[in-house]
Amino acid sequence: MVFVLSKQKQPMDNCTPAKARILLRDGSATIHKQYPFTIRLKDNAAHTADKTYQIKLDPGAKITGVALVDSEAHAVFFAELEHRGERIVALLQTRYRKPKWGNSFKKKDSKFNADTRRPEGWLPPSVVSIEQDIVHFVKKMRNLCMIQLAAVESVKFDMQKMENASITDVVYQQGTLMGYEIRHYLLEKKGHACQYCGGLSQDKHLEVEHMHPKSRGGSDRLSNLNVACHTCNQDKDNRTLAEYVERLKSSKTKLDQTRIKRIEQILRTNKTFIGLRYAAWANSMRHHLVADLEKLLPHISQGTGGQTQYNRTTGMGLPKEHYYDALCVGRIPSSGYRLVTDKVLCIKSYGRGSRFRGRTNSCGIITKQLTRQKQFFSFQTGDVVRATVPNGKKKGIHLGRVAVRKSGYFNIQSTGLVVQGVSYKHCRIIQRNDGYGYTLKQRS
Ligand SMILES: [Zn+2]
């Protein structure tokens, strides 16, 4: 769908691409923005503004899914927001460090006495970046359509639901809402990793596993459940953990040795392994996110991961994608949503570059100087450009994100490939750099 603004740049109801084409062709609207595609009317009378929208978010450490639904249960817009948390960690580790030999004793002393405790509610810079990406995106979307409500997946599982009984006695039943809640509880607790091989088998498909096999009288209670990858689960078959270790001892492969080590530890301590560094911050981040969104929008509703998965598989029958997860966050109408768009906007967070004009190696020592100037021939790295090259090797039309060079020969990055050495003379700006890169893909 296409976003529509009034002459005064106020949000109106969005329209179909076909209607937008007609409006643009007969000159009653102009293109306001390329990504997400937005037009601005020259005469407001021809268009209505009475729909309200709900933005649905599924925050993740790497990618956040976004879906926009209108008051008539139409899903009008999908997006995937790719974060740069890991990039920020890398930048912090290789940043330029001032040489230490110039410091006086007095300075060292004050540094020694400084209060280095972190203030309450502190989050690591990489996690702050993720949270701010999402808040910033909601702010921008609010300028394009009348968003009244936000639904956020704020926790991975519903503790209340599971604390009716003592938590280890909760009974697991596949395919039910409760079953999904338990699955998410287990995944979160075990750090989204196979408990037997620790991810060494390269199998990404994780399953809920009965430590004492069900076929031999093992219970469905949480205390008997574990997370294992499909490979390990198949390999273990209907053995108990002790029997499985015995069988593995005949093998000398690295994978089996790892399994023995980990399973013996599970048997000894009844404790499990936790991986994934983001998991520790994830709940804290979602908490901050909800608090920030409450300042922006009148109503926020919250959902759980188990509920999302139940809605997506049982309610809507959709495949696993970040944007479908977002669509199924919280409560959904009993008849589901009608999907009226077939495109997904992929947004990648790049940041706006840094003030520091140099490159450092892994020790934090400057190895390259950059120019102070950031704009060349009125282009800046990050602008979306359309280059029409009339002849030569690079003949054709290239649309994408530009990386500027002092020489005037730029690199243009479109989906998947980079075209190098395109002259600035052939380039035309489509959208100025706003710290994000945009591509469109087909909905699956
Ligand atoms: Zn495994």
Side-chain angles (χ1 to χ4, degrees):
M1 295 299 258
V2 176
F3 294 103
V4 182
L5 296 182
S6 72
K7 194 179 177 184
Q8 293 77 20
K9 297 183 187 172
Q10 294 303 308
M12 302 188 87
D13 294 345
N14 56 21
C15 71
T16 59
K19 193 182 174 193
R21 267 195 297 276
I22 294 170
L23 287 170
L24 287 170
R25 200 183 300 140
D26 66 18
S28 50
T30 52
I31 296 175
H32 178 76
K33 202 177 187 163
Q34 198 73 25
Y35 301 108
F37 195 73
T38 309
I39 59 171
R40 193 170 71 235
L41 299 171
K42 290 179 180 169
D43 179 15
N44 299 347
H47 209 76
T48 55
D50 43 35
K51 280 186 200 166
T52 56
Y53 296 86
Q54 180 185 11
I55 193 162
K56 307 189 94 180
L57 302 161
D58 172 30
K62 281 186 183 141
I63 292 177
T64 290
V66 183
L68 198 69
V69 294
D70 67 10
S71 36
E72 288 152 16
H74 292 162
V76 293
F77 175 74
F78 290 116
E80 279 182 353
L81 189 54
E82 192 180 335
H83 304 299
R84 56 189 205 113
E86 278 174 8
R87 176 93 189 102
I88 284 177
V89 173
L91 282 172
L92 283 173
Q93 278 162 357
T94 61
R95 72 181 153 178
Y96 169 58
R97 285 161 205 159
K98 271 189 184 161
K100 279 187 179 158
W101 52 79
N103 287 357
S104 69
F105 281 108
K106 199 179 173 189
K107 268 185 193 160
K108 266 181 197 162
D109 202 36
S110 67
K111 200 175 174 187
F112 181 73
N113 288 329
D115 186 355
T116 52
R117 277 174 301 176
R118 281 157 181 171
E120 207 161 299
W122 182 89
L123 286 178
S126 55
V127 180
V128 170
S129 142
I130 295 170
E131 195 236 337
Q132 286 304 309
D133 267 351
I134 302 172
V135 173
H136 186 66
F137 180 74
V138 173
K139 270 187 192 165
K140 282 204 287 190
M141 290 304 288
R142 216 172 42 149
N143 295 334
L144 300 182
C145 58
M146 282 297 288
I147 297 177
Q148 289 288 341
L149 184 71
V152 186
E153 190 184 298
S154 58
V155 280
K156 279 291 163 200
F157 45 86
D158 193 346
M159 278 305 268
Q160 252 89 48
K161 226 176 254 171
M162 305 193 9
E163 273 170 359
N164 292 337
S166 161
I167 192 149
T168 50
D169 287 339
V170 180
V171 175
Y172 173 72
Q173 204 179 351
Q174 210 173 3
T176 60
L177 178 56
M178 191 63 192
Y180 284 113
E181 297 280 9
I182 292 176
R183 196 183 128 85
H184 275 86
Y185 171 79
L186 278 170
L187 284 172
E188 190 84 344
K189 201 174 161 218
K190 320 278 178 180
H192 294 263
C194 171
Q195 291 301 299
Y196 299 148
C197 66
L200 204 68
S201 69
Q202 302 285 321
D203 191 348
K204 292 236 168 69
H205 185 86
L206 294 178
E207 291 168 344
V208 171
E209 206 265 335
H210 293 75
M211 288 190 274
H212 189 94
K214 212 179 159 186
S215 60
R216 292 167 60 182
S219 84
D220 275 331
R221 287 173 204 284
L222 201 56
S223 50
N224 187 38
L225 299 176
N226 211 341
V227 175
C229 66
H230 184 71
T231 315
C232 289
N233 203 359
Q234 290 289 308
D235 195 50
K236 180 172 170 279
D237 207 11
N238 67 341
R239 298 180 184 88
T240 64
L241 284 183
E243 286 170 4
Y244 188 39
V245 171
E246 281 309 309
R247 199 192 81 95
L248 288 172
K249 275 180 180 160
S250 59
S251 162
K252 283 279 174 286
T253 63
K254 199 180 164 197
L255 178 63
D256 286 340
Q257 290 302 316
T258 314
R259 280 171 177 163
I260 292 173
K261 226 162 138 194
R262 293 176 73 109
I263 293 172
E264 276 177 345
Q265 188 167 341
I266 294 173
L267 286 172
R268 207 166 46 240
T269 60
N270 203 19
K271 270 193 186 144
T272 44
F273 297 88
I274 291 180
L276 208 83
R277 46 191 303 208
Y278 280 108
W281 297 107
N283 277 330
S284 177
M285 189 267 275
R286 292 191 200 103
H287 183 76
H288 273 74
L289 178 65
V290 170
D292 279 355
L293 288 178
E294 271 168 355
K295 291 175 202 154
L296 292 179
L297 298 168
H299 304 289
I300 310 286
S301 74
Q302 299 180 39
T304 65
Q307 192 182 19
T308 303
Q309 206 184 358
Y310 178 74
N311 286 344
R312 181 169 59 75
T313 50
T314 317
M316 302 269 301
L318 292 168
K320 166 93 189 119
E321 295 284 352
H322 293 285
Y323 44 89
Y324 288 145
D325 270 339
L327 182 68
C328 297
V329 165
R331 239 182 247 129
I332 62 168
S334 53
S335 53
Y337 291 111
R338 209 162 77 84
L339 313 182
V340 293
T341 181
D342 59 349
K343 287 279 196 304
V344 180
L345 183 64
C346 303
I347 307 163
K348 190 173 176 185
S349 174
Y350 283 100
R352 289 171 180 274
S354 66
R355 195 185 69 86
F356 175 59
R357 305 310 291 159
R359 291 273 184 270
T360 52
N361 64 9
S362 57
C363 305
I365 291 167
I366 302 172
T367 51
K368 193 184 169 190
Q369 285 281 353
L370 302 178
T371 58
R372 177 51 56 197
Q373 199 179 343
K374 275 187 168 182
Q375 281 204 346
F376 291 103
F377 307 97
S378 79
F379 291 92
Q380 190 172 344
T381 296
D383 291 343
V384 180
V385 300
R386 176 202 283 273
T388 317
V389 185
N391 45 33
K393 261 190 203 168
K394 288 138 202 158
K395 190 177 171 180
I397 294 172
H398 311 290
L399 178 78
R401 192 184 139 89
V402 75
V404 296
R405 299 285 178 267
K406 196 179 173 184
S407 62
Y409 289 92
F410 300 160
N411 295 352
I412 297 173
Q413 186 177 18
S414 43
T415 352
L417 78 158
V418 182
V419 186
Q420 290 185 315
V422 176
S423 168
Y424 76 93
K425 287 174 190 161
H426 304 314
C427 296
R428 191 164 60 83
I429 288 186
I430 302 285
Q431 187 164 318
R432 283 284 182 192
N433 177 27
D434 60 353
Y436 296 88
Y438 300 92
T439 46
L440 276 171
K441 73 173 180 187
Q442 206 69 26
R443 182 166 65 80
S444 65

